[in-house]
Amino acid sequence: MGFIEDGRQSDVVAEASRRRTFAIISHPDAGKTTLTEKFLLYAGAVIEAGAVKARAGSRRAKSDWMALEQQRGISITSTVLQFNYRDCVVNLLDTPGHRDFSEDTYRVLAAADAAIMVLDVAKGIESQTLKLFEICRTRSLPILTFINKYDRPGRDPLELLDEIEEQIGLRPTPVTWPVGIPGDFRGVVDRRDGSFIRYSRTARGASEAIEERLDPESASVAEGDAWHKAMETVSLLDEVGSSLDMESFLAGETSPLFVGSAITNFGVRHLLDAVVDLIPPASPRKDSSGVSRPLDAPFSGFVFKIQANMNPSHRDHVAFLRVCSGSFVRGMTVTHGPSGKPFSTKYAASLFGAERDTVDVAYPGDVVGLVNASGINIGDALFEAEAVTFPPIATFAPEIFASVRPKDTGRHKQFYRGLDQLEREGVVQVLRDPEGDSTPILAGVGAMQFEVFTYRLANEFGAEVELTSAPYKAARRTDRTTAKELRNISGTRVLTRSDGTLLALFENQFRLQRLESDHPNWLLDHIVSAGALP
Ligand code: G4P
């Protein structure tokens, strides 16, 4: 039993078992936003679909978030949505995509217990999905797959199953199978009981799709050929054993698959039910020594994202913390791991889009936004009672690089102060050559990271900077032994991050691929840990 300060007793384990915390991974335009909105519709969190986009629109008008965000009309932050569905509390962590793709996109996955991979039926697996999937794999995150846009012409879904298995080594196990071809979507077979769920559209998909459950005989009469074709495929899937298997799903080896169309709401309920029925609840997390911390241990959590200056009128920093154990009660004083200092949580907030509500109590699986969190960095642990640290957050090796100098050399001090702060917040990675040129090199995975860096350095630290694109095309985490070899190879350079991580930079991909195949024993890892500085 966890004890809550306000005198209420609460069973932390029972609350954790109601939590489902996941992210949606997809390529831009596959339908992530639409699906998110439809989840809210089915959960009763919005009355009519369109609310999320409407909120985004009104936010732009009234928001006092970063001026940069306003100028560009896009969201730099990722959103954490919390809603109730059936008897569960669902935490949906949004992975920023499109042009605002950044290391944050990867870090969000560290806070998730599962992911939904959304694929466009016409396109299958695309590059961004692939990258996000790889991060999921490093954590063996269970993944549900949703084949979206089945209302439109697209590829044969069986072909997509092959593609998923071949390209990412994840075995799809369809739970529902479509009746009708892409573009002529009648409904789905629920393979768990063989029944047919026939869907009918509602106007603009603004309210829930009408669903009718038919037994196989009635389905055969009603849908004829389309039904028989679907059943043929279903028997094939049965024969090859592509059926839901919880053990391999939880190990991140197979992926229960659903087919639908977010825009018409077809298949959305099945998927949301799967979030509750299949996705694992918040469970004990391993600390950095590999020991699982019981859910009812005293409060602990780690910061996976920092958002600075959401409100420039009071320079706030919000640290997004995933609760790992115990109960979080607003107002409690916790310890900030790296500094050992007390941190007051008086202004803790939960976030729905850009709008904040204060949060009073949170449990394992929940995400809390800690306001006034300057001094707190990505990867930091906060806890009550005994100290705990959590493993570093995995992210991909950076892909874009630029050297950075202050425009006005008289503002050196401001420049270095800002550089240090923004590196600590995880806005960019800062690489240095301990033996050579002292110009720092910025590294990131999306151009937006550099834009935010430049903007904030000028506006918060008073140092205008000049960025010069650096000629590197790829980077890999390496070790001292490999670094020694690499230093003799032209077109490569080994730089150091402030946390001591060595990164090898390559002027061309081809050279890197050659080195990888010629020297399989060299450490050239494309997964690096992010943020946390010693
Ligand atoms: P994203 O967040 O993954 O980038 O995708 P988003 O939901 O914004 O969807 C991208 C486009 O695909 C949108 O069209 C959206 O309406 C459409 N879409 C999403 N799900 C479905 C679906 O199941 N079927 C069909 N046919 N289309 C779908 P848009 O024209 O770019 O925007 P909008 O004007 O409709 O908002």
Side-chain angles (χ1 to χ4, degrees):
M1 293 281 274
F3 181 72
I4 291 184
E5 278 177 9
D6 65 3
R8 280 183 296 136
Q9 289 278 344
S10 165
D11 190 340
V12 173
V13 176
E15 284 295 339
S17 72
R18 296 173 58 219
R19 289 333 193 246
R20 300 291 182 277
T21 303
F22 70 100
I24 298 179
I25 59 173
S26 64
H27 197 79
D29 282 341
K32 186 182 65 176
T33 313
T34 311
L35 185 63
T36 301
E37 187 173 278
K38 298 313 175 77
F39 278 167
L40 294 176
L41 176 75
Y42 274 78
V46 297
I47 295 163
E48 202 175 88
V52 174
K53 284 194 174 166
R55 263 176 195 262
S58 64
R59 188 194 75 208
R60 222 162 282 149
K62 68 174 193 219
S63 164
D64 50 7
W65 285 19
M66 288 175 76
L68 177 65
E69 180 171 304
Q70 289 181 358
Q71 279 161 21
R72 306 187 45 138
I74 52 154
S75 162
I76 291 169
T77 51
S78 68
T79 312
V80 183
L81 294 175
Q82 186 179 67
F83 55 89
N84 295 309
Y85 182 66
R86 293 181 19 204
D87 54 353
C88 283
V89 178
V90 177
N91 294 307
L92 199 176
L93 312 178
D94 186 17
T95 46
H98 301 250
R99 299 187 47 206
D100 44 345
F101 191 72
S102 73
E103 283 168 279
D104 273 346
T105 310
Y106 297 137
R107 289 178 198 132
V108 164
L109 291 170
D113 294 325
I116 296 183
M117 175 166 75
V118 177
L119 304 178
D120 179 332
V121 68
K123 302 204 169 130
I125 301 229
E126 296 172 89
S127 58
Q128 199 157 302
T129 323
L130 202 61
K131 284 186 185 172
L132 290 164
F133 169 77
E134 274 215 53
I135 293 287
C136 296
R137 175 146 55 198
T138 62
R139 296 196 40 231
S140 305
L141 273 192
I143 295 180
L144 298 176
T145 302
F146 184 64
I147 296 189
N148 190 28
K149 304 199 184 182
Y150 207 79
D151 61 293
R152 280 210 312 216
R155 294 166 56 189
D156 177 351
L158 265 185
E159 199 184 296
L160 290 185
L161 297 196
D162 285 343
E163 183 170 304
I164 296 168
E165 189 154 3
E166 270 162 28
Q167 286 204 15
I168 62 181
L170 183 70
R171 181 147 207 239
T173 55
V175 176
T176 62
W177 194 253
V179 176
I181 54 167
D184 179 21
F185 189 21
R186 322 267 179 96
V188 294
V189 186
D190 186 335
R191 290 184 68 212
R192 289 165 294 194
D193 62 7
S195 63
F196 172 52
I197 291 93
R198 181 157 62 188
Y199 298 125
S200 314
R201 283 172 184 247
T202 57
R204 295 173 290 112
S207 54
E208 297 181 17
I210 299 160
E211 294 177 18
E212 241 180 304
R213 195 172 274 268
L214 273 67
D215 61 37
E217 251 169 49
S218 322
S220 162
V221 175
E223 301 298 338
D225 251 13
W227 172 256
H228 298 128
K229 282 223 169 73
M231 290 317 287
E232 264 171 42
T233 314
V234 166
S235 351
L236 192 75
L237 294 170
D238 290 344
E239 266 170 46
V240 298
S242 285
S243 303
L244 176 65
D245 173 60
M246 284 307 284
E247 199 182 324
S248 54
F249 161 58
L250 294 176
E253 293 159 9
T254 62
S255 176
L257 178 140
F258 297 81
V259 181
S261 147
I263 203 121
T264 59
N265 302 334
F266 293 5
V268 172
R269 184 193 306 282
H270 271 111
L271 188 63
L272 191 52
D273 280 336
V275 166
V276 165
D277 296 329
L278 304 182
I279 282 183
S283 52
R285 286 238 163 183
K286 287 199 166 85
D287 64 18
S288 36
S289 60
V291 176
S292 288
R293 187 172 168 85
L295 291 167
D296 57 359
F299 163 78
S300 69
F302 67 89
V303 172
F304 63 94
K305 179 182 163 58
I306 303 276
Q307 176 68 48
N309 276 0
M310 283 159 104
N311 184 346
S313 61
H314 38 85
R315 283 254 165 137
D316 61 351
H317 278 60
V318 179
F320 291 81
L321 172 132
R322 145 95 195 206
V323 180
C324 296
S325 67
S327 49
F328 172 91
V329 182
R330 187 164 65 84
M332 76 201 280
T333 298
V334 297
T335 306
H336 171 232
S339 67
K341 286 189 183 149
F343 179 84
S344 163
T345 61
K346 198 162 143 203
Y347 301 106
S350 69
L351 285 100
F352 184 99
E355 291 173 22
R356 291 184 205 168
D357 298 313
T358 53
V359 62
D360 290 320
V361 186
Y363 295 99
D366 289 341
V367 169
V368 176
L370 299 171
V371 186
N372 293 341
S374 54
I376 292 187
N377 300 309
I378 286 171
D380 288 359
L382 287 114
F383 48 80
E384 216 186 3
E386 86 252 32
V388 58
T389 52
F390 291 101
I393 295 174
T395 182
F396 263 109
E399 292 169 29
I400 54 168
F401 310 88
S403 59
V404 58
R405 284 191 183 80
K407 273 190 184 156
D408 174 357
T409 44
R411 302 196 72 79
H412 236 78
K413 236 176 146 173
Q414 290 85 341
F415 170 75
Y416 280 107
R417 202 155 50 84
L419 190 70
D420 181 50
Q421 177 60 32
L422 298 184
E423 179 188 20
R424 283 177 171 278
E425 281 181 28
V427 172
V428 288
Q429 297 187 40
V430 181
L431 311 178
R432 292 183 172 85
D433 187 345
E435 290 158 23
D437 185 356
S438 63
T439 312
I441 305 261
L442 303 186
V445 300
M448 176 62 66
Q449 289 181 254
F450 291 178
E451 288 177 34
V452 171
F453 172 86
T454 307
Y455 179 88
R456 288 191 53 196
L457 214 64
N459 285 274
E460 288 170 42
F461 299 91
E464 300 262 350
V465 298
E466 193 179 299
L467 295 191
T468 315
S469 162
Y472 307 107
K473 298 284 182 287
R476 291 290 183 268
R477 183 172 66 86
T478 189
D479 57 13
R480 279 177 205 290
T481 320
T482 307
K484 225 180 194 172
E485 306 281 353
L486 289 170
R487 286 202 171 98
N488 300 321
I489 296 172
S490 69
T492 70
R493 196 169 168 201
V494 181
L495 299 178
T496 312
R497 239 172 35 179
S498 334
D499 64 352
T501 303
L502 293 177
L503 279 182
L505 273 49
F506 302 87
E507 283 181 15
N508 74 55
Q509 288 276 2
F510 177 69
R511 156 101 10 114
L512 168 62
Q513 280 160 14
R514 275 288 295 277
L515 291 172
E516 280 173 328
S517 67
D518 291 353
H519 305 280
N521 55 338
W522 285 8
L523 178 70
L524 293 168
D525 195 348
H526 68 299
I527 305 282
V528 292
S529 62
L533 299 172

